[in-house]
Amino acid sequence: MAILYALVARGSVVLAEFSSTATNASAIARQILDKIPGNDDSNVSYSQDRYIFHVKRTDGLAVLCMADETAGRRIPFAFLEDIHQRFARTYGRAVITAQAYAMNDEFSRVLSQQMEYYTNDPNADRINRLKGEMSQVRNVMIENIDKVLERGDRLELLVDKTANMQGNTFRFRKQARRFSSAGCFDYTTASDYLRCVGLRMPWSYTANMPKVKSNF
């Protein structure tokens, strides 16, 4: 799971943005901002390939991020809410007349820090579960990006394939610690190991399985 790109914009005027990997998400994000209908507050999500563009628009200020599809909806929208509050609190009414990228030098660092936090820190999701503030996100439909962009206008999304390596490494270590604490790396039968990691096999297939030993 990873949040790879984010921006803050007034209408279609980008005020700050940050990307953690080489991607053309910025160009696609601008197309989405230009095409989202109406001016009302809204939460919307659009899929392209294995990635989702999530947008939160409140009081004329749009916050957008691109995450891989495994991130779901709750964490990306928690990130967007966090960024919106930080941006509004920091710049206030200056947002109304700000020129393009006026806040980028300062706020791109905030985007970077919070993208890292919501991607890699398990407390990010735990805190939002406790707050219970993201229940409205359950009603956000994830629609194909063709909903707002004509096929002839839509750009092909390009993303550096190494972008998710850090997040994948973090999840592997976390899972390995959980298995170790549960005793999954001790001598056991194959069926016991599978039960330890949360899998089930029919009894008829496991009754005569030989003992196995992990090499970890």
Side-chain angles (χ1 to χ4, degrees), residues 139-191:
N139 297 322
V140 176
M141 299 295 294
I142 299 179
E143 300 177 308
N144 192 279
I145 202 167
D146 291 337
K147 183 81 173 181
V148 292
L149 301 182
E150 297 293 335
R151 288 185 178 273
D153 296 332
R154 180 166 60 85
L155 298 174
E156 179 183 1
L157 179 61
L158 304 175
V159 178
D160 184 350
K161 297 303 182 182
T162 65
N164 294 330
M165 289 182 65
Q166 183 177 5
N168 289 339
T169 301
F170 173 84
R171 288 195 302 276
F172 174 80
R173 289 174 179 170
K174 179 182 176 184
Q175 189 177 49
R177 288 195 297 269
R178 179 168 62 86
F179 290 169
S180 179
S181 64
C184 295
F185 293 154
D186 297 335
Y187 287 90
T188 183
T189 64
S191 59

Side-chain angles (χ1 to χ4, degrees), residues 70-99:
T70 62
R73 292 173 295 181
R74 185 174 59 247
I75 289 179
F77 276 102
F79 166 79
L80 295 179
E81 176 65 22
D82 182 11
I83 292 300
H84 179 272
Q85 291 181 4
R86 288 171 182 267
F87 197 86
R89 185 169 60 245
T90 301
Y91 300 108
R93 296 185 62 82
V95 171
I96 299 174
T97 57
Q99 299 297 310

Side-chain angles (χ1 to χ4, degrees), residues 60-135:
L61 192 66
V63 187
L64 176 151
C65 72
M66 183 190 78
D68 62 47
E69 61 186 2
T70 62
R73 292 173 295 181
R74 185 174 59 247
I75 289 179
F77 276 102
F79 166 79
L80 295 179
E81 176 65 22
D82 182 11
I83 292 300
H84 179 272
Q85 291 181 4
R86 288 171 182 267
F87 197 86
R89 185 169 60 245
T90 301
Y91 300 108
R93 296 185 62 82
V95 171
I96 299 174
T97 57
Q99 299 297 310
Y101 291 98
M103 291 82 173
N104 195 63
D105 287 348
E106 181 180 29
F107 203 76
S108 61
R109 293 193 291 271
V110 177
L111 291 173
S112 174
Q113 292 166 0
Q114 295 310 106
M115 285 166 62
E116 173 73 16
Y117 172 68
Y118 281 90
T119 294
N120 290 327
D121 195 326
N123 288 321
D125 191 32
R126 190 174 300 126
I127 290 171
N128 282 288
R129 284 174 181 267
L130 292 174
K131 286 182 177 179
E133 293 178 351
M134 300 307 295
S135 59

Side-chain angles (χ1 to χ4, degrees), residues 37-50:
N39 296 309
D40 296 336
D41 293 355
S42 60
N43 297 322
V44 294
S45 297
Y46 298 104
S47 65
Q48 184 171 1
D49 300 326
R50 296 181 298 105

